[in-house]
Structure formats: C-alpha cells, structure tokens
Amino acid sequence: MSEQTEKQDLNEQTAEETATYTEAEGIGEEHAAPEGEAAAELDALRRQAEEAQERYLRTQADFDNFRRRSRVEKEDFAKYASSKLVEQLLPVLDNFERAVAASKDSKDLDSLLKGIDMIQRQLGQTLEQEGLKAMEAVGEAFNPDFHQAVMQVESDEHEEGIVVEELQKGYVFKDKVLRPAMVKVSK
C-alpha cells in the first residue's frame, strides 16, 4: 500500500471513531440549536434593535423640538420683558399729553407747573415700584462704585473726600447701580 492510501484510510477511520464517540456521548446536541429556532431568535433581536432605534429617533426629535420651543420662548420673553413697565408708564404719558393740551388752552403757568409736578411724582412712584431708587449722595463719603467725581472743590465745612454737591442724580435698580451720581467732592 502506498503512503497516500494509508493516510486516507487513517483519516476515514479517525472520522468514523469521532462520529461514533460523539453519538455515544451526546456531545454537541445541546449546543446545536435547530435552525428555525435560531432564525426566530435573530428576528426577535432585530425587532428589538429596530424598536430601540425608533425610540432613539423619537427622543432625539422631541429634544430638538424642546430646544426650538425654549429658544422661541426665550426670545419672546426678552422681546416683551419691558411690556409691564411700559404699561405702567402709559398713564404718565396720558397725563403729560393732558398737561400740554391744557397749557395750550390756558395761559395759567401755575396750574401747568402743579400738573407737571404731579406727573413727576407719579412717574417716580411707578419706577420705584419696579425697583428704581435715587441715591443720596450729598454729605456721603465719595465711593467710586456709586459716584462719578467731575470736580474737586475746597471746602471748610466738609472733610476731604465728602460729596459736596450733586450735579446729576444717581440711581440704583434693585441691587445694581444703574447710573452713578455725578458729584463734586471736597479736597
């Protein structure tokens, strides 16, 4: 017998022994799933993956919509934030118009001055309700956070660094300096 034939016989014999051993021991039967069962499991996993993908896409779309709505709401809020204040100032504007109309009909300057004084108080009260307060500067120590010094003057009455005169009122809006007071300071 040739060497090649011997190898072939040996391979056939080994294959037969392996098959016999596998059948006798039951090896591979519990590990080998029937083909139909594997396909069904694969289909179920595909469906789960598709559902997860759809949920992801819906969630992404919801988030994009939320972001867009939030941006629009923020823009609208900024656009109309001062509408409450403007609405409160309308009666002041109406009173100014009435005062101007009354002054054209009547030449009474005293009543015009009295009307303008009342309007000024009304305007001050409206702004104060919104959180605007005038600063008291005269007699206070100079503070660059609240005062803008435009002049220094000699003063026998005040120590150095005291506000002697207020040239323009300063205002605080809630807790923030809106406009510093323009002042003269003693040296």
Side-chain angles (χ1 to χ4, degrees), residues 71-138:
R71 182 179 43 82
V72 168
E73 287 173 1
K74 191 175 177 182
E75 288 171 357
D76 283 350
F77 179 75
K79 187 176 181 180
Y80 299 110
S82 59
S83 64
K84 179 183 173 198
L85 176 62
V86 170
E87 186 178 330
Q88 291 174 339
L89 291 174
L90 288 177
V92 176
L93 181 61
D94 292 340
N95 287 337
F96 268 121
E97 289 173 355
R98 286 186 201 108
V100 169
S103 69
K104 288 180 182 177
D105 295 340
S106 165
K107 302 297 181 201
D108 186 8
L109 293 178
D110 287 336
S111 60
L112 176 64
L113 184 60
K114 186 177 179 182
I116 289 177
D117 185 50
M118 288 173 29
I119 294 169
Q120 180 185 12
R121 278 188 271 131
Q122 181 185 19
L123 177 61
Q125 289 172 349
T126 302
L127 293 174
E128 207 172 285
Q129 288 172 354
E130 288 299 308
L132 184 72
K133 292 182 183 170
M135 290 183 209
E136 295 296 325
V138 177

Side-chain angles (χ1 to χ4, degrees), residues 4-187:
Q4 196 173 22
T5 309
E6 277 182 35
K7 283 184 181 178
Q8 192 175 14
D9 288 340
L10 185 58
N11 285 341
E12 287 175 9
Q13 185 182 359
T14 306
E16 286 176 15
E17 288 174 358
T18 304
T20 305
Y21 174 74
T22 303
E23 288 174 10
E25 295 294 323
I27 295 176
E29 289 178 10
E30 69 270 354
H31 296 295
E35 216 173 281
E37 209 176 290
E41 188 176 337
L42 185 59
D43 285 342
L45 290 173
R46 280 190 181 126
R47 279 193 303 276
Q48 285 178 348
E50 288 172 1
E51 289 171 4
Q53 178 71 14
E54 286 177 21
R55 280 195 309 270
Y56 166 75
L57 291 174
R58 271 188 256 124
T59 302
Q60 185 68 35
D62 288 345
F63 182 70
D64 289 342
N65 289 338
F66 169 75
R67 194 176 346 172
R68 182 184 47 75
R69 271 193 320 272
S70 295
R71 182 179 43 82
V72 168
E73 287 173 1
K74 191 175 177 182
E75 288 171 357
D76 283 350
F77 179 75
K79 187 176 181 180
Y80 299 110
S82 59
S83 64
K84 179 183 173 198
L85 176 62
V86 170
E87 186 178 330
Q88 291 174 339
L89 291 174
L90 288 177
V92 176
L93 181 61
D94 292 340
N95 287 337
F96 268 121
E97 289 173 355
R98 286 186 201 108
V100 169
S103 69
K104 288 180 182 177
D105 295 340
S106 165
K107 302 297 181 201
D108 186 8
L109 293 178
D110 287 336
S111 60
L112 176 64
L113 184 60
K114 186 177 179 182
I116 289 177
D117 185 50
M118 288 173 29
I119 294 169
Q120 180 185 12
R121 278 188 271 131
Q122 181 185 19
L123 177 61
Q125 289 172 349
T126 302
L127 293 174
E128 207 172 285
Q129 288 172 354
E130 288 299 308
L132 184 72
K133 292 182 183 170
M135 290 183 209
E136 295 296 325
V138 177
E140 299 288 321
F142 175 75
N143 183 343
D145 294 331
F146 296 102
H147 308 125
Q148 178 183 356
V150 292
M151 296 177 75
Q152 280 191 324
V153 293
E154 295 287 335
S155 175
D156 296 331
E157 299 174 20
H158 301 299
E159 297 175 16
E160 185 177 332
I162 301 296
V163 175
V164 177
E165 185 180 342
E166 184 177 59
L167 302 172
Q168 185 180 45
K169 278 189 181 244
Y171 291 95
V172 176
F173 182 65
K174 300 192 178 181
D175 295 331
K176 182 181 175 186
V177 175
L178 193 61
R179 181 176 79 186
M182 196 178 298
V183 295
K184 289 182 184 179
V185 181
S186 63
K187 58 175 168 174

